[in-house]
Amino acid sequence: MKRPAGHGRSAGTGALCVLAASVLWGTTGTAATFAPEVGPLAVGAVAMGLGGLLQALAAAAPLARHAPGLRARRGTVLLGAASVAVYPLAFYSSMRLAGVAVGTVVSIGTAPLASALIERVVDRRRLTRRWTGAAALGLLGTVLLCVAEAGRSAGGAGPASAGGTLLGVGLGLVAAVTYALYSWAAHRLISGGLPSRAAMGAVFGLGGLLLLPVLSATGAPLLGSWSNAAVGTYMAVVPMFAGYVLFGRGLARVPASTATTLSLLEPAVAAVLAVLVVGERLPAAGWAGIVLVIAGLAVLTTPAPAARRRRRSGGPVPGGGARGTAHPAGVLPPGADADGG
Protein backbone atom coordinates (compact mmCIF):
# COMPACT_ATOMS: atom_id res chain seq x y z
CA MET A 1 0.00 0.00 0.00
CA LYS A 2 1.44 3.36 -1.01
CA ARG A 3 1.58 6.25 1.37
CA PRO A 4 1.43 9.97 0.59
CA ALA A 5 4.73 11.57 -0.35
CA GLY A 6 4.74 13.67 2.80
CA HIS A 7 4.21 10.74 5.18
CA GLY A 8 7.80 10.69 6.45
CA ARG A 9 7.72 14.40 7.20
CA SER A 10 4.28 14.00 8.77
CA ALA A 11 5.57 11.26 11.10
CA GLY A 12 8.51 13.49 12.03
CA THR A 13 6.15 16.35 12.84
CA GLY A 14 4.04 13.99 14.93
CA ALA A 15 7.09 12.86 16.87
CA LEU A 16 8.08 16.47 17.57
CA CYS A 17 4.56 17.23 18.81
CA VAL A 18 4.68 14.29 21.24
CA LEU A 19 8.16 15.28 22.46
CA ALA A 20 7.02 18.86 23.05
CA ALA A 21 4.00 17.57 24.99
CA SER A 22 6.29 15.34 27.05
CA VAL A 23 8.43 18.32 28.06
CA LEU A 24 5.30 20.14 29.29
CA TRP A 25 4.08 17.05 31.16
CA GLY A 26 7.48 16.69 32.79
CA THR A 27 6.85 19.92 34.70
CA THR A 28 3.71 18.72 36.46
CA GLY A 29 5.35 16.89 39.37
CA THR A 30 7.57 19.84 40.18
CA ALA A 31 4.64 22.27 39.86
CA ALA A 32 2.60 20.17 42.30
CA THR A 33 5.31 20.54 44.97
CA PHE A 34 4.51 24.28 45.13
CA ALA A 35 1.08 23.41 46.57
CA PRO A 36 2.02 20.80 49.21
CA GLU A 37 -1.25 21.18 51.14
CA VAL A 38 -3.25 20.22 48.05
CA GLY A 39 -3.75 16.45 47.94
CA PRO A 40 -2.83 14.35 44.90
CA LEU A 41 -6.47 13.59 44.09
CA ALA A 42 -7.27 17.30 43.93
CA VAL A 43 -4.17 17.98 41.85
CA GLY A 44 -5.08 15.23 39.39
CA ALA A 45 -8.73 16.26 39.24
CA VAL A 46 -8.02 19.93 38.58
CA ALA A 47 -5.27 19.20 36.05
CA MET A 48 -7.00 16.60 33.92
CA GLY A 49 -10.56 17.61 34.79
CA LEU A 50 -10.37 21.29 33.89
CA GLY A 51 -7.81 20.61 31.16
CA GLY A 52 -10.14 18.06 29.59
CA LEU A 53 -13.11 20.42 29.72
CA LEU A 54 -11.00 23.13 28.09
CA GLN A 55 -10.20 20.71 25.28
CA ALA A 56 -13.88 19.97 24.79
CA LEU A 57 -14.76 23.68 24.73
CA ALA A 58 -11.99 24.44 22.24
CA ALA A 59 -13.24 21.60 20.03
CA ALA A 60 -16.95 22.44 20.29
CA ALA A 61 -17.43 22.94 16.56
CA PRO A 62 -15.65 19.69 15.47
CA LEU A 63 -17.48 17.80 18.24
CA ALA A 64 -20.85 18.99 16.91
CA ARG A 65 -19.96 18.16 13.31
CA HIS A 66 -18.70 14.68 14.13
CA ALA A 67 -21.21 13.75 16.85
CA PRO A 68 -22.69 10.88 14.76
CA GLY A 69 -19.23 9.36 14.24
CA LEU A 70 -18.45 9.66 17.94
CA ARG A 71 -21.75 8.04 18.89
CA ALA A 72 -21.00 5.18 16.50
CA ARG A 73 -17.71 4.64 18.36
CA ARG A 74 -19.06 5.31 21.84
CA GLY A 75 -17.42 2.20 23.30
CA THR A 76 -13.97 3.48 22.38
CA VAL A 77 -14.85 6.99 23.60
CA LEU A 78 -16.10 5.68 26.96
CA LEU A 79 -13.03 3.47 27.44
CA GLY A 80 -10.75 6.42 26.72
CA ALA A 81 -12.73 8.75 29.00
CA ALA A 82 -12.71 6.30 31.91
CA SER A 83 -8.95 5.89 31.50
CA VAL A 84 -8.52 9.68 31.42
CA ALA A 85 -10.40 9.90 34.74
CA VAL A 86 -8.37 7.18 36.48
CA TYR A 87 -4.94 8.16 35.14
CA PRO A 88 -4.31 11.47 36.99
CA LEU A 89 -5.59 10.13 40.31
CA ALA A 90 -3.15 7.22 40.14
CA PHE A 91 -0.33 9.30 38.64
CA TYR A 92 -0.26 12.12 41.19
CA SER A 93 -0.81 9.73 44.09
CA SER A 94 2.17 7.74 42.82
CA MET A 95 4.35 10.85 42.77
CA ARG A 96 3.22 11.91 46.24
CA LEU A 97 4.06 8.48 47.68
CA ALA A 98 7.22 7.56 45.78
CA GLY A 99 8.63 10.95 44.83
CA VAL A 100 8.50 12.95 41.63
CA ALA A 101 11.21 10.97 39.87
CA VAL A 102 9.98 7.43 40.59
CA GLY A 103 6.28 8.22 40.22
CA THR A 104 6.81 9.75 36.81
CA VAL A 105 9.30 7.14 35.68
CA VAL A 106 7.07 4.17 36.52
CA SER A 107 3.88 5.76 35.19
CA ILE A 108 5.36 6.78 31.86
CA GLY A 109 8.22 4.32 31.57
CA THR A 110 6.06 1.20 31.55
CA ALA A 111 3.34 2.68 29.32
CA PRO A 112 5.03 1.68 26.03
CA LEU A 113 4.84 -2.00 26.97
CA ALA A 114 1.15 -1.70 27.82
CA SER A 115 0.50 0.26 24.63
CA ALA A 116 2.37 -2.23 22.45
CA LEU A 117 0.50 -5.14 24.04
CA ILE A 118 -2.85 -3.44 23.34
CA GLU A 119 -1.94 -2.82 19.70
CA ARG A 120 -0.57 -6.33 19.28
CA VAL A 121 -3.65 -8.04 20.72
CA VAL A 122 -6.43 -5.75 19.47
CA ASP A 123 -5.03 -4.32 16.24
CA ARG A 124 -2.78 -7.29 15.31
CA ARG A 125 0.15 -4.97 14.72
CA ARG A 126 3.69 -6.31 14.67
CA LEU A 127 6.44 -4.49 16.51
CA THR A 128 9.53 -3.39 14.60
CA ARG A 129 12.99 -4.33 15.81
CA ARG A 130 13.75 -0.64 16.03
CA TRP A 131 10.85 0.02 18.37
CA THR A 132 11.87 -2.98 20.48
CA GLY A 133 15.42 -1.67 20.81
CA ALA A 134 14.28 1.85 21.65
CA ALA A 135 11.77 0.60 24.20
CA ALA A 136 14.40 -1.67 25.78
CA LEU A 137 16.78 1.26 26.24
CA GLY A 138 14.01 3.43 27.64
CA LEU A 139 12.76 0.76 30.02
CA LEU A 140 16.28 -0.02 31.24
CA GLY A 141 16.68 3.68 31.91
CA THR A 142 13.43 3.79 33.89
CA VAL A 143 14.50 0.76 35.93
CA LEU A 144 17.79 2.47 36.81
CA LEU A 145 15.92 5.59 37.87
CA CYS A 146 13.56 3.52 40.02
CA VAL A 147 16.37 1.56 41.65
CA ALA A 148 18.27 4.76 42.39
CA GLU A 149 15.26 6.42 43.99
CA ALA A 150 14.14 3.32 45.89
CA GLY A 151 17.66 2.98 47.31
CA ARG A 152 17.51 6.52 48.62
CA SER A 153 14.08 5.92 50.12
CA ALA A 154 15.16 2.71 51.87
CA GLY A 155 18.13 4.56 53.34
CA GLY A 156 15.95 7.34 54.67
CA ALA A 157 17.30 9.89 52.20
CA GLY A 158 14.33 9.93 49.86
CA PRO A 159 10.94 11.62 50.04
CA ALA A 160 9.09 8.45 51.03
CA SER A 161 9.48 5.26 53.03
CA ALA A 162 10.20 1.97 51.27
CA GLY A 163 6.56 0.94 51.84
CA GLY A 164 5.32 4.20 50.40
CA THR A 165 7.61 3.81 47.44
CA LEU A 166 6.24 0.31 46.79
CA LEU A 167 2.64 1.53 46.89
CA GLY A 168 3.62 4.46 44.69
CA VAL A 169 5.13 2.08 42.15
CA GLY A 170 1.90 0.03 42.12
CA LEU A 171 -0.18 3.15 41.47
CA GLY A 172 2.33 4.13 38.80
CA LEU A 173 1.62 0.86 37.00
CA VAL A 174 -2.12 1.63 37.12
CA ALA A 175 -1.35 5.05 35.64
CA ALA A 176 0.76 3.43 32.91
CA VAL A 177 -2.04 1.09 31.82
CA THR A 178 -4.66 3.84 31.77
CA TYR A 179 -2.29 6.17 29.89
CA ALA A 180 -1.77 3.47 27.27
CA LEU A 181 -5.53 2.85 27.05
CA TYR A 182 -6.57 6.44 26.42
CA SER A 183 -3.70 6.93 23.97
CA TRP A 184 -4.85 3.85 22.07
CA ALA A 185 -8.50 4.95 22.18
CA ALA A 186 -7.69 8.42 20.86
CA HIS A 187 -5.46 7.03 18.10
CA ARG A 188 -8.15 4.52 17.12
CA LEU A 189 -10.73 7.29 16.80
CA ILE A 190 -8.35 9.45 14.77
CA SER A 191 -7.24 6.62 12.49
CA GLY A 192 -10.92 5.78 11.99
CA GLY A 193 -11.47 9.10 10.25
CA LEU A 194 -12.27 11.53 13.07
CA PRO A 195 -10.18 14.73 13.32
CA SER A 196 -7.83 14.85 16.29
CA ARG A 197 -9.65 17.82 17.87
CA ALA A 198 -12.97 15.99 17.89
CA ALA A 199 -11.44 12.73 19.16
CA MET A 200 -9.39 14.38 21.91
CA GLY A 201 -12.22 16.75 22.83
CA ALA A 202 -14.65 13.86 23.28
CA VAL A 203 -12.32 11.58 25.23
CA PHE A 204 -10.85 14.27 27.46
CA GLY A 205 -14.04 16.30 27.81
CA LEU A 206 -15.99 13.29 29.06
CA GLY A 207 -13.05 12.27 31.25
CA GLY A 208 -13.02 15.79 32.69
CA LEU A 209 -16.70 15.50 33.53
CA LEU A 210 -16.03 12.24 35.37
CA LEU A 211 -13.38 14.00 37.45
CA LEU A 212 -15.61 16.89 38.54
CA PRO A 213 -17.06 15.01 41.57
CA VAL A 214 -13.51 14.25 42.75
CA LEU A 215 -12.58 17.91 42.32
CA SER A 216 -15.70 19.00 44.23
CA ALA A 217 -14.89 16.66 47.12
CA THR A 218 -11.15 17.34 47.39
CA GLY A 219 -10.47 20.69 45.73
CA ALA A 220 -11.14 23.17 48.57
CA PRO A 221 -7.39 23.66 49.30
CA LEU A 222 -6.93 24.91 45.73
CA LEU A 223 -8.83 28.03 46.77
CA GLY A 224 -6.93 28.38 50.04
CA SER A 225 -4.22 30.63 48.63
CA TRP A 226 -3.18 32.42 45.47
CA SER A 227 -0.21 30.08 45.05
CA ASN A 228 -2.43 27.00 45.21
CA ALA A 229 -4.85 28.52 42.68
CA ALA A 230 -1.93 29.45 40.43
CA VAL A 231 -0.61 25.87 40.52
CA GLY A 232 -4.05 24.49 39.67
CA THR A 233 -4.47 26.95 36.81
CA TYR A 234 -1.03 26.19 35.42
CA MET A 235 -1.60 22.43 35.56
CA ALA A 236 -4.94 22.67 33.75
CA VAL A 237 -3.91 25.15 31.06
CA VAL A 238 -0.28 24.43 30.17
CA PRO A 239 0.67 20.73 30.56
CA MET A 240 -2.85 19.35 30.30
CA PHE A 241 -4.66 21.55 27.78
CA ALA A 242 -1.73 22.68 25.62
CA GLY A 243 0.18 19.42 26.15
CA TYR A 244 -2.69 17.22 25.07
CA VAL A 245 -3.48 19.40 22.06
CA LEU A 246 0.08 18.68 20.94
CA PHE A 247 -0.31 15.01 21.85
CA GLY A 248 -3.48 14.74 19.78
CA ARG A 249 -1.68 16.17 16.76
CA GLY A 250 1.07 13.65 17.30
CA LEU A 251 -1.37 10.75 17.54
CA ALA A 252 -2.77 11.76 14.17
CA ARG A 253 0.64 11.00 12.65
CA VAL A 254 2.23 8.17 14.67
CA PRO A 255 0.89 4.97 16.31
CA ALA A 256 0.00 5.03 20.01
CA SER A 257 2.90 2.68 20.86
CA THR A 258 5.35 5.10 19.22
CA ALA A 259 3.77 8.07 21.00
CA THR A 260 3.98 6.42 24.42
CA THR A 261 7.61 5.49 23.76
CA LEU A 262 8.44 9.07 22.76
CA SER A 263 6.82 10.27 25.97
CA LEU A 264 9.62 8.53 27.88
CA LEU A 265 11.19 11.97 27.66
CA GLU A 266 8.74 13.07 30.36
CA PRO A 267 10.33 11.15 33.27
CA ALA A 268 13.77 12.37 32.24
CA VAL A 269 12.52 15.98 32.30
CA ALA A 270 10.71 15.35 35.60
CA ALA A 271 13.81 13.84 37.20
CA VAL A 272 16.03 16.73 36.12
CA LEU A 273 13.51 19.30 37.41
CA ALA A 274 13.15 17.36 40.66
CA VAL A 275 16.90 17.77 41.16
CA LEU A 276 17.22 21.37 39.97
CA VAL A 277 14.03 22.84 41.44
CA VAL A 278 12.68 20.54 44.16
CA GLY A 279 16.08 19.65 45.59
CA GLU A 280 15.84 15.88 45.25
CA ARG A 281 19.22 14.22 44.83
CA LEU A 282 19.73 11.74 41.99
CA PRO A 283 22.51 9.14 42.28
CA ALA A 284 24.79 8.23 39.38
CA ALA A 285 22.53 5.30 38.44
CA GLY A 286 19.66 7.73 38.05
CA TRP A 287 21.62 9.96 35.70
CA ALA A 288 22.65 6.87 33.74
CA GLY A 289 18.96 6.01 33.45
CA ILE A 290 18.21 9.44 32.00
CA VAL A 291 20.98 8.97 29.42
CA LEU A 292 19.50 5.61 28.39
CA VAL A 293 16.03 7.12 28.04
CA ILE A 294 17.39 9.83 25.75
CA ALA A 295 19.34 7.21 23.78
CA GLY A 296 16.14 5.23 23.26
CA LEU A 297 14.39 8.34 21.97
CA ALA A 298 17.25 8.98 19.59
CA VAL A 299 16.97 5.42 18.21
CA LEU A 300 13.23 5.82 17.71
CA THR A 301 13.25 9.24 16.06
CA THR A 302 16.36 9.01 13.84
CA PRO A 303 15.57 7.64 10.35
CA ALA A 304 17.09 4.23 9.61
CA PRO A 305 20.19 4.31 7.33
CA ALA A 306 18.43 2.30 4.62
CA ALA A 307 15.51 4.73 4.63
CA ARG A 308 17.87 7.71 4.37
CA ARG A 309 19.67 6.11 1.40
CA ARG A 310 16.36 5.38 -0.34
CA ARG A 311 15.20 8.96 0.19
CA ARG A 312 18.41 10.32 -1.31
CA SER A 313 18.17 7.98 -4.29
CA GLY A 314 14.44 8.48 -4.75
CA GLY A 315 13.76 4.76 -4.42
CA PRO A 316 10.88 3.10 -2.59
CA VAL A 317 10.86 2.74 1.17
CA PRO A 318 9.67 -0.50 2.81
CA GLY A 319 6.07 -0.12 3.87
CA GLY A 320 5.12 1.89 0.93
CA GLY A 321 5.72 4.46 -1.28
CA ALA A 322 7.26 7.32 -2.92
CA ARG A 323 10.36 9.26 -2.16
CA GLY A 324 10.34 10.75 1.32
CA THR A 325 7.98 8.18 2.79
CA ALA A 326 8.63 5.87 5.68
CA HIS A 327 6.80 3.81 8.26
CA PRO A 328 6.50 5.37 11.68
CA ALA A 329 9.17 3.69 13.81
CA GLY A 330 6.79 1.81 16.03
CA VAL A 331 4.54 -0.92 14.78
CA LEU A 332 3.88 -2.41 11.39
CA PRO A 333 0.48 -3.26 9.92
CA PRO A 334 -0.48 -6.93 9.61
CA GLY A 335 1.58 -8.73 7.01
CA ALA A 336 4.47 -6.26 6.90
CA ASP A 337 8.04 -7.33 7.59
CA ALA A 338 9.64 -6.17 10.80
CA ASP A 339 12.73 -4.81 9.09
CA GLY A 340 13.49 -2.28 11.78
CA GLY A 341 12.67 0.77 9.61
Side-chain angles (χ1 to χ4, degrees):
M1 179 181 68
K2 291 191 175 183
R3 292 178 179 267
H7 177 73
R9 290 188 297 274
S10 177
T13 300
L16 289 176
C17 286
V18 175
L19 290 173
S22 300
V23 172
L24 295 181
W25 296 338
T27 68
T28 58
T30 296
T33 64
F34 288 96
E37 62 271 30
V38 180
L41 298 183
V43 170
V46 72
M48 211 73 143
L50 295 188
L53 293 177
L54 284 174
Q55 284 215 51
L57 287 174
L63 282 172
R65 284 196 304 270
H66 296 277
L70 290 167
R71 284 195 296 269
R73 300 168 177 85
R74 57 184 173 273
T76 303
V77 173
L78 289 173
L79 174 63
S83 300
V84 163
V86 172
Y87 168 76
L89 307 180
F91 177 55
Y92 290 102
S93 296
S94 174
M95 285 196 295
R96 184 63 63 90
L97 288 167
V100 172
V102 165
T104 308
V105 163
V106 175
S107 300
I108 307 303
T110 56
L113 287 181
S115 184
L117 182 60
I118 291 168
E119 289 188 354
R120 184 71 181 92
V121 172
V122 179
D123 299 332
R124 304 296 182 186
R125 289 181 176 271
R126 298 173 57 192
L127 301 176
T128 66
R129 288 193 294 270
R130 196 153 155 231
W131 180 91
T132 303
L137 285 172
L139 288 172
L140 179 57
T142 63
V143 168
L144 283 175
L145 272 168
C146 282
V147 169
E149 185 70 14
R152 292 196 310 112
S153 298
S161 66
T165 298
L166 184 61
L167 179 57
V169 168
L171 289 170
L173 292 174
V174 173
V177 172
T178 50
Y179 173 39
L181 280 172
Y182 72 67
S183 299
W184 173 83
H187 178 74
R188 189 175 183 87
L189 292 171
I190 294 168
S191 62
L194 292 169
S196 65
R197 288 180 64 198
M200 298 295 282
V203 169
F204 282 82
L206 184 54
L209 285 175
L210 294 175
L211 284 166
L212 287 183
V214 179
L215 180 59
S216 176
T218 64
L222 287 163
L223 303 178
S225 69
W226 285 107
S227 61
N228 289 354
V231 168
T233 301
Y234 170 81
M235 301 275 272
V237 174
V238 180
M240 295 305 153
F241 174 65
Y244 278 102
V245 167
L246 289 167
F247 189 63
R249 292 178 180 175
L251 282 174
R253 295 167 172 84
V254 298
S257 56
T258 299
T260 52
T261 304
L262 289 169
S263 64
L264 287 173
L265 181 61
E266 179 185 347
V269 171
V272 171
L273 289 176
V275 171
L276 297 180
V277 180
V278 182
E280 295 185 9
R281 296 182 61 186
L282 198 62
W287 289 110
I290 290 175
V291 170
L292 286 174
V293 167
I294 294 173
L297 295 174
V299 169
L300 191 65
T301 57
T302 302
R308 289 197 297 268
R309 287 195 299 270
R310 291 185 181 95
R311 289 194 191 104
R312 286 195 295 267
S313 65
V317 178
R323 183 175 182 174
T325 66
H327 248 305
V331 288
L332 297 178
D337 293 328
D339 62 0

